[in-house]
Amino acid sequence: MSQFWKPGTEKPRILDDEEGGVLFFSGTPSSSSGFRYSSIEKQRQRLPVYKYRTAILYLVETHATTIIVGETGSGKTTQIPQYLKEAGWADGGRVIACTQPRRLAVQAVASRVAEEMGVKLGEEVGYTIRFEDLTKPDVTVVKFLTDGVLLREMMDDPLLTKYSAIMIDEAHERSISTDILLGLLKKIQRRRPELRLIISSATIEAKLISAFFQTRKRRGLENEELGLQLEPAILSVEGRGFNVQINYAEEPVPDYVQAAVSTVLLIHEKESWGDILVFLTGQDDIDIAVQLLNEEAQTNGKNTSGLIVMPLYSGLPRAEQELVFSPTPRGKRKVVISTNIAETSLTLEGVVYVVDSGFSKQKFYNPTSDIENLVVAPISRASARQRAGRAGRVRPGKCYRLYTEEYFLNKMPAEGIPEIQRSNLVSCVIQLKALGIDNILGFDWPASPSPEAMIRALEVLYSLGVLDDDAKLTSPAGFQVAEIPLDPLISKMILASNQFGCSEEIITIAAVLSIQSIWISGRGIQKDFDNAKLRFAAAEGDHVTFLNVYKGFLQSGKSSQWCHRNHVNYHAMKKVIEIREQLKRIAQRIGISLKSCDGDMQVIRKAVTAGFFANACRLEAFSHNGMYKTIRGSQEVYIHPSSVLFRVNPKWVIYHSLVSTDRQYMRNVISIDPSWLLEAAPHFYNLQRLKPITH
DNA sequence: GAGCACTGC
């Protein structure tokens, strides 16, 4: 593969690494010439998956579902859609679809495949991700898209009739969208026996997915007469990774950050060239480890000279993130200390050593309190293998696991808990309802969420007026909420803004609330940051503050310098603008007229209340430390110090989300009048419940 | 006066 990027050459481009990760290649491919074409052909034939071309096409022809177990670098993602096209699955106006969990992967794979096929991206080969549709009707026959987009497409075309074959890639990651898709595709298959599914997965999950698609005889008999096997076929394709030697800790380690640092130093001292990738859990761990390593470098220059230490996590400013892709200078060794982002989303070339803490941060959902928490938890054996595999991309590597072999074999779970069993289900339930799946509890899932979580979601949607007594979507509210691609609480707030005449403002707030954060913060610049924020602070709370930031950003002419001066994240603001544009289009489609309330903050707060009434809290009467209690569950909560209402402590507030550390903190808080709760949700807040506290 | 794994529509 002469195309691989070499240290010291010009800045690389993004391309697919055939397993959903992203690599950086250099060298712009020249325009297609005969020579180039044949070299691409040769490259394609060298991929491990090529040997299985005939087998794959035979299995897809004869089986409703084919499961491909493909290891790293097998080429399955880029090749299988092309094989299907070459075999005629795109003839007669039909389309071959291939989904990915992530946007970047969709773009990367699509451009790679277009290049291999010698066509312009957006013509025969195209892709669709949120905000970007690079396909041409009746022209695009191989289409890459995120699972989320395919789910949305089902709202217009529930049987996905234009597709002849759908490949679900990276199914083992078991994202919520993938799981919903698998459930729905199984249903579609019964109605459309001609549809072919290709599901690519890692080994462990393949058995489970196969069992899920195992269809009993049932009404399928006529299909079998047509020569179609209803039992899924499983085909294993070897990868092209190198061997990775696994080393375990002899004893359990008391402190994995310290142990990771020691291991890095040990590798640096004893092992030959090659970069080191360390998996820790979050920003805190990572910053500590980076600091420890840099201190070592200063106090003990001899041992650590030549180490270049870099943190990597998604919250890092983009420029810093890109540093990890810069070539390691000759004679130096790069150490990247990363979260899970390097396990699936990004691929680092040049890594020969992996240090695995055995932990990651994972989301868990408690249906009783209706709270999602992020906690440090042990990873699965599947994750551990994935992490180790990151060491074997350029040559045989080594993985140092900071836990014992006994622990790995006997204590570590074989696979992770699917996301759908760890999440709040309101979005998922409303999506299924919109697709006409009424019996949510009886839906055939690859992994069923707990009944408690489903019931809680139904309750929340009922209290929002989105579902009726029969748990059917209400009209129009339910259908409108389902149409908006946001958390249903936010969507409800948008609907309410129509009545309050403040939709212009509310969709701005909705856009800001649906991204991580619009601020750039950092430990060192805290004071500046607080001061910057004060310039925008609104007495009503964070939501109104967002409006001020947005206004300032527009007035600056969307200037990146303005953002920099004000500690506002420029990329986040660009995203806000994009989401806002999308929401504007959707709002108009579902009959919401865009209207500004011209500074009437009361209606804005009322609209927020209409969506988030369940998150109302009251300041404890004699609280000296700003303790609030939720009205719904009497849970103890505090305003997060990052909120503009921190220390202001209005008597009644509504929060957007909770984060739990040593305390439960409310993030993004707005003050309200308790009487609005009764107006917004009389069924939820009956008088009895409010009376004792409203005096 | 504290701290946000990762995605996605």
Side-chain angles (χ1 to χ4, degrees):
Chain A
M1 290 284 278
S2 57
Q3 259 214 343
F4 273 65
W5 158 76
K6 291 189 210 70
T9 53
E10 72 176 282
K11 190 176 163 75
R13 301 185 305 128
I14 296 177
L15 269 184
D16 165 53
D17 75 342
E18 291 140 14
E19 49 161 335
V22 171
L23 269 184
F24 285 73
F25 283 69
S26 76
T28 317
S30 53
S31 58
S32 52
S33 65
F35 170 75
R36 175 155 182 83
Y37 177 74
S38 79
S39 96
I40 281 185
E41 263 320 294
K42 276 193 193 125
Q43 270 186 35
R44 287 189 62 196
Q45 290 172 13
R46 276 202 293 268
L47 289 166
V49 71
Y50 182 73
K51 286 200 292 286
Y52 302 90
R53 187 180 185 278
T54 319
I56 290 168
L57 289 175
Y58 172 76
L59 291 177
V60 172
E61 186 72 42
T62 52
H63 291 74
T65 307
T66 304
I67 295 163
I68 307 282
V69 181
E71 290 169 21
T72 304
S74 62
K76 60 187 160 56
T77 309
T78 54
Q79 301 308 302
I80 293 175
Q82 292 186 73
Y83 298 164
L84 294 171
K85 157 87 171 42
E86 289 154 8
W89 285 94
D91 296 351
R94 298 177 303 169
V95 179
I96 297 157
C98 176
T99 73
Q100 296 290 320
R102 282 169 289 277
R103 295 162 49 98
L104 207 54
V106 168
Q107 290 174 303
V109 181
S111 64
R112 175 75 194 180
V113 169
E115 190 190 311
E116 287 187 8
M117 285 172 57
V119 300
K120 195 172 156 241
L121 186 60
E123 306 276 327
E124 286 95 326
V125 178
Y127 69 84
T128 309
I129 54 181
R130 188 184 188 185
F131 307 130
E132 221 181 319
D133 183 7
L134 231 68
T135 62
K136 230 183 216 174
D138 302 324
V139 175
T140 301
V141 288
V142 178
K143 176 170 165 183
F144 293 89
L145 64 177
T146 49
D147 338 66
V149 168
L150 189 61
L151 263 181
R152 282 276 152 191
E153 283 191 1
M154 290 182 76
M155 287 204 181
D156 295 324
D157 180 8
L159 293 179
L160 297 171
T161 50
K162 70 174 171 197
Y163 299 110
S164 59
I166 299 174
M167 175 166 169
I168 307 290
D169 206 6
E170 313 287 342
H172 58 273
E173 284 187 25
R174 305 297 301 276
S175 73
I176 290 187
S177 299
T178 308
D179 269 21
I180 301 177
L181 259 185
L182 293 177
L184 291 166
L185 288 170
K186 184 177 171 182
K187 276 175 96 84
I188 292 179
Q189 268 186 331
R190 271 179 242 156
R191 304 273 298 275
R192 287 191 56 206
E194 78 282 8
L195 175 71
R196 294 299 191 276
L197 299 181
I198 298 103
I199 294 160
S200 98
S201 163
T203 320
I204 296 179
E205 299 285 339
K207 289 178 201 129
L208 197 143
I209 293 168
S210 165
F212 175 66
F213 279 97
Q214 205 79 246
T215 348
R216 305 260 170 276
K217 279 273 154 73
R218 234 180 339 190
R219 274 158 281 144
L221 257 172
E222 64 268 35
N223 296 327
E224 286 191 333
E225 281 161 16
L226 291 171
L228 181 67
Q229 297 281 320
L230 297 173
E231 301 248 313
I234 302 188
L235 178 77
S236 197
V237 178
E238 78 272 8
R240 215 167 34 182
F242 293 93
N243 275 340
V244 175
Q245 181 200 321
I246 308 287
N247 303 287
Y248 291 95
E250 285 175 6
E251 307 265 322
V253 305
D255 174 354
Y256 60 75
V257 176
Q258 187 57 57
V261 169
S262 312
T263 308
V264 167
L265 294 172
L266 203 68
I267 294 169
H268 187 50
E269 194 183 329
K270 305 261 192 231
E271 299 285 352
S272 63
W273 66 273
D275 294 341
I276 306 173
L277 173 60
V278 182
F279 285 104
L280 295 182
T281 63
Q283 188 175 341
D284 263 355
D285 283 0
I286 291 170
D287 287 348
I288 293 171
V290 169
Q291 200 191 338
L292 284 174
L293 277 168
N294 285 333
E295 277 169 13
E296 284 289 333
Q298 280 181 354
T299 55
N300 193 0
K302 197 175 162 199
N303 274 346
T304 55
S305 68
L307 274 190
I308 306 171
V309 187
M310 296 169 181
L312 176 64
Y313 42 85
S314 84
L316 214 57
R318 187 137 344 154
E320 276 180 66
Q321 242 178 49
E322 273 171 20
L323 277 183
V324 304
F325 295 108
S326 60
T328 310
R330 202 169 253 290
K332 300 269 181 184
R333 193 200 294 274
K334 194 156 69 182
V335 185
V336 176
I337 308 193
S338 172
T339 60
N340 251 5
I341 193 170
E343 190 181 310
T344 49
S345 304
L346 294 170
T347 302
L348 299 167
E349 275 304 291
V351 171
V352 179
Y353 307 98
V354 161
V355 179
D356 173 14
S357 66
F359 289 94
S360 70
K361 282 198 183 173
Q362 294 163 36
K363 184 177 67 183
F364 287 95
Y365 172 65
N366 177 345
T368 311
S369 59
D370 192 25
I371 291 173
E372 278 182 347
N373 266 343
L374 209 51
V375 296
V376 173
I379 61 168
S380 65
R381 289 205 291 273
S383 277
R385 284 201 190 93
Q386 174 80 3
R387 287 181 173 188
R390 295 305 200 185
R393 296 188 60 87
V394 285
R395 64 180 171 100
K398 290 185 181 178
C399 174
Y400 296 81
R401 291 181 170 156
L402 304 178
Y403 38 92
T404 63
E405 185 166 20
E406 198 275 327
Y407 175 82
F408 174 79
L409 293 172
N410 303 322
K411 303 265 172 58
M412 201 176 243
E415 57 241 47
I417 301 169
E419 192 188 7
I420 199 148
Q421 295 178 335
R422 300 183 279 116
S423 306
N424 175 317
L425 297 174
V426 283
S427 293
C428 162
V429 166
I430 199 160
Q431 237 168 342
L432 289 176
K433 290 279 175 189
L435 291 169
I437 314 286
D438 280 324
N439 182 5
I440 300 285
L441 290 161
F443 186 69
D444 191 5
W445 304 88
S448 289
S450 75
E452 291 81 7
M454 284 195 270
I455 287 163
R456 170 62 70 160
L458 291 168
E459 277 171 9
V460 171
L461 291 170
Y462 175 78
S463 77
L464 285 170
V466 159
L467 294 179
D468 63 19
D469 292 338
D470 301 323
K472 291 219 154 73
L473 282 184
T474 54
S475 185
F479 287 94
Q480 288 170 314
V481 165
E483 192 83 4
I484 303 173
L486 297 174
D487 180 330
L489 276 64
I490 297 184
S491 307
K492 179 64 196 294
M493 169 179 87
I494 294 176
L495 290 195
S497 74
N498 197 30
Q499 281 126 46
F500 291 115
C502 55
S503 53
E504 286 276 4
E505 287 81 1
I506 287 293
I507 63 169
T508 304
I509 291 171
V512 175
L513 288 176
S514 59
I515 64 166
Q516 294 268 357
S517 170
I518 56 166
W519 306 107
I520 293 175
S521 64
R523 276 158 231 261
I525 53 160
Q526 202 46 55
K527 265 230 170 82
D528 292 353
F529 173 55
D530 280 349
N531 290 337
K533 203 141 84 174
L534 280 179
R535 268 172 249 157
F536 304 104
E540 294 85 359
D542 298 301
H543 301 63
V544 178
T545 304
F546 294 149
L547 290 178
N548 295 339
V549 175
Y550 178 73
K551 209 158 91 189
F553 181 61
L554 289 191
Q555 277 166 358
S556 78
K558 303 181 189 168
S559 140
S560 59
Q561 286 92 339
W562 180 90
C563 286
H564 189 74
R565 273 202 309 278
N566 292 294
H567 294 270
V568 168
N569 183 335
Y570 176 67
H571 293 288
M573 289 310 291
K574 296 284 270 190
K575 211 165 168 190
V576 165
I577 302 264
E578 256 185 337
I579 296 175
R580 197 178 182 283
E581 284 306 309
Q582 187 195 25
L583 292 180
K584 225 160 105 176
R585 283 195 302 274
I586 294 170
Q588 277 159 340
R589 195 170 70 219
I590 62 177
I592 291 175
S593 46
L594 289 168
K595 211 169 154 248
S596 167
C597 58
D598 298 318
D600 179 358
M601 293 309 161
Q602 180 148 326
V603 288
I604 289 173
R605 291 152 74 203
K606 283 187 171 183
V608 174
T609 308
F612 290 86
F613 54 82
N615 295 352
C617 301
R618 179 180 182 270
L619 185 68
E620 282 293 279
F622 301 104
S623 168
H624 297 294
N625 60 349
M627 188 213 290
Y628 284 77
K629 284 217 170 133
T630 61
I631 306 306
R632 180 169 48 164
S634 284
Q635 191 157 10
E636 201 178 292
V637 292
Y638 297 82
I639 293 182
H640 196 281
S642 67
S643 168
V644 297
L645 292 184
F646 179 67
R647 288 225 190 96
V648 178
N649 294 335
K651 191 160 183 191
W652 289 86
V653 296
I654 278 180
Y655 64 83
H656 175 252
S657 62
L658 287 181
V659 289
S660 17
T661 50
D662 51 330
R663 285 175 173 179
Q664 300 274 7
Y665 283 104
M666 302 182 268
R667 283 188 75 215
N668 298 330
V669 181
I670 191 163
S671 76
I672 57 150
D673 183 307
S675 67
W676 302 343
L677 294 172
L678 280 167
E679 278 172 40
H683 46 287
F684 193 84
Y685 288 112
N686 53 43
L687 275 170
Q688 266 98 12
R689 230 159 142 188
L690 280 177
K691 217 172 208 161
I693 35 187
T694 45
H695 315 296

